[in-house]
Amino acid sequence: MTTSPANRLLNRREILRDDNSALPASKPAVDLGDLPEWDLTDLYAAPDAPDLAADLATLGKACTQFARDYEGRLAALEASKMLECIERYQEIDILAGRIMSYAGLRYYQNTTDAARAKFMGDLQDKITEDTTKLVFFSLEFNRIPDARYAEVFSAEAGPARYKPVFDRMRALRPYQLSDELERFLHDNSVVGAAAWNRLFDETTAGLTFDIDGEETGIEGTLNLLSDHDRSKREAGAKALAETFGKNIKLFARITNTLAKEKAIEDKWRKMPTPQTARHLSNHVEPEVVEALRNAVTAAYPRLSHRYYRLKAKWMGLDKLQVWDRNAPLPTEDQRLIAWPEAQATVLDAYAGFSPKLAELAQPFFDKGWIDAGVKAGKAPGAFAHPTVTTVHPYVLLNYLGKPRDVMTLAHELGHGVHQRLAAAQGELLASTPLTLAETASVFGEMLTFRALLAKTSDPVQRKALIAGKVEDMINTVVRQIAFYDFECKLHAARAQGELTPDDINALWMSVQGESLGDAFEFMPGYETFWTYIPHFIHSPFYVYAYAFGDGLVNALYAAYEDGLPDFQDKYFALLSAGGSQHHKELLAPFGLDASDPAFWDKGLSMIEKLIDELEAMEA
């Protein structure tokens, strides 16, 4: 069970969470200020930089020497030598990660640039070839007898601090293939899922949409879905449906192929379910995810169904159309928020919780760690990429000045701060399972929302602010669990045979009415809106992590509001732990336990209370 360092960027990407975000296409019509761009020189100065060439050469030699020194010998290593071995492996991981982070980030700045795509592809091929020599490491490590493993990892001079990493790796032992097959899968990765991922990205980035005779990209078109003008929202939704429909066969082919490839690998590994690999990588028990899923689906009537009936009433409509789902309220302030104000809003909210949080976020604005502008060919939505622990994270946005864009900034900066704090754990321990990776991002949004709410005395704007937060939480919890159910149904159906576009469309619609409720009508063409959501392609079953994170943060924030002693210190300790502890250990200081089904009801009750407040405003 290996992950190619050449594919690490895709595995670490964090794409913004809903179909209210997408790919860049057109610049905003107003001046939003000087939007920052990435300065990638902390990784490498240029594609032809001498140190990049030197690192590539070093990487090849390091992989060869590592295999010579350790292949066939891991079980015999004494504790101190095992520590040395692991630290050498970690240095190789950093070197490969640094190279691919640079190539990948350049590519995501403009996925339609053939030269950037070739540069990344060539490096991906080279690093995959070099790191094939390392495939033995996890395979051989998992064959170390339990008694010997316990002895080496409990010794004083040994690698005890790395034990959480290898415990997770050894949990994959039942699903490990032969060395030869694992090497084949590693080599084949560049022409398998990674190649289909690139096809998806480049296709989506190149889509165009006809809006009243004007050609627009997907970001500009999706942005219309939150426009105050209902006719513009309708035009945007219909243009999306038309273009998605024209490309449906290609998206169905990508989806079918990736689902089948996953099914084949799962069969060989004897994975009991399509979701098992994700649960293992997230270090979360299937029953915990099932408890989350069941709690959310049971709450649909109390959350989304109830809220959208309210929204239809506010908008004077008998039924909402799909283009009304993310529409602003008629009374909502229409002004766009310039970048300096967005920066100040988020940093002030962070500082209100702790000056340390704002200090950790400040360099993103000052040092070229954010790429915010909307540009042709730029990658989907928003993400925070940690690069490697010896450098720093980079944040990508497509900032258009909407209130939700400010929340996206707060979200991605939360990831960035989390990644900076966890970096002290070192490369192998810094990576946080997806279930906990959303903690700081969603908490950052909550801090920003609460800070804005505290400063809003006008009842009309207060209502709009609360409604916007409820919609974001529904998008994060209800929509993502509906996405998870869609994926579960899709992979189950694909196991029975090839899926036509109509088959996939029907699966998509089967979760839409259930999750959104009877306040909606669904226009012809909406059945194709599964096509561009990147999570289904890049990270199967990723989506439940958002709902997990929102429920977790709601419970954490309740503890914060209740005055839990030393909350800030405990919070920073949680983020600094990275992937070194299980969620049970990390949540214990807060008196929380995600394995308790009642835990999820606590988080969902916060959304219910906000809807209660909105209903009370109607009285």
Side-chain angles (χ1 to χ4, degrees), residues 41-260:
T41 56
D42 286 345
L43 292 166
Y44 296 102
D48 59 355
D51 54 338
L52 175 54
D55 281 353
L56 273 169
T58 299
L59 177 65
K61 293 174 184 175
C63 290
T64 299
Q65 192 59 50
F66 185 89
R68 285 175 181 165
D69 291 345
Y70 295 113
E71 189 165 9
R73 300 181 179 91
L74 289 184
L77 292 178
E78 296 301 321
S80 60
K81 292 298 181 182
M82 180 64 80
L83 176 60
E84 181 183 305
C85 169
I86 290 170
E87 289 180 341
R88 279 179 61 182
Y89 183 89
Q90 182 169 247
E91 288 304 310
I92 291 171
D93 202 30
I94 290 171
L95 200 54
R98 185 185 189 114
I99 294 166
M100 281 314 302
S101 291
Y102 176 68
L105 292 173
R106 281 188 77 250
Y107 169 71
Y108 289 124
Q109 284 182 301
N110 187 355
T111 62
T112 58
D113 183 336
R116 293 179 187 230
K118 173 178 166 50
F119 179 71
M120 185 178 76
D122 287 347
L123 287 179
Q124 196 168 40
D125 290 347
K126 175 70 168 63
I127 290 178
T128 299
E129 180 183 346
D130 287 340
T131 55
T132 296
K133 302 179 184 73
L134 307 183
V135 170
F136 81 90
F137 182 72
S138 61
L139 306 178
E140 194 174 316
F141 209 102
N142 281 350
R143 288 196 291 266
I144 297 174
D146 287 342
R148 176 64 178 163
Y149 174 73
E151 178 188 349
V152 169
F153 275 79
S154 62
E156 280 190 27
R161 71 177 302 266
Y162 294 103
K163 191 171 185 293
V165 177
F166 293 97
D167 283 349
R168 288 196 290 272
M169 190 170 77
R170 285 170 71 85
L172 301 171
R173 282 186 295 172
Y175 314 110
Q176 187 168 294
L177 301 175
S178 69
D179 292 11
E180 187 175 30
L181 275 174
E182 293 288 0
R183 287 192 177 93
F184 168 77
L185 289 174
H186 181 87
D187 283 348
N188 195 58
S189 64
V190 294
V191 292
W196 289 98
N197 286 179
R198 272 184 61 185
L199 176 61
F200 172 85
D201 285 343
E202 291 168 11
T203 301
T204 311
L207 293 178
T208 58
F209 305 82
D210 184 353
I211 307 291
D212 298 326
E214 181 179 343
E215 192 175 272
T216 309
I218 195 169
E219 180 77 22
T221 309
L222 283 162
N223 189 50
L224 291 174
L225 298 184
S226 57
D227 198 279
H228 277 266
D229 186 332
R230 194 166 190 246
S231 65
K232 290 183 180 179
R233 297 199 303 272
E234 181 178 359
K238 290 182 174 178
L240 289 166
E242 181 180 3
T243 296
F244 293 157
K246 289 177 180 177
N247 292 274
I248 191 78
K249 289 183 179 178
L250 176 57
F251 286 114
R253 170 59 48 221
I254 293 170
T255 300
N256 267 290
T257 303
L258 287 171
K260 184 62 176 177

Side-chain angles (χ1 to χ4, degrees), residues 353 436 439 443 552-577 581-594 599 602:
F353 172 76
L436 292 169
T439 304
F443 198 85
L552 171 56
V553 165
N554 288 342
L556 280 175
Y557 201 86
Y560 171 52
E561 285 189 317
D562 290 344
L564 181 72
D566 303 318
F567 183 91
Q568 280 86 343
D569 290 342
K570 292 173 181 176
Y571 179 71
F572 284 119
L574 183 154
L575 301 188
S576 299
Q581 296 178 49
H582 188 267
H583 61 78
K584 261 188 177 299
E585 298 171 282
L586 289 171
L587 295 178
F590 302 92
L592 300 172
D593 181 359
F599 171 85
K602 289 180 185 176

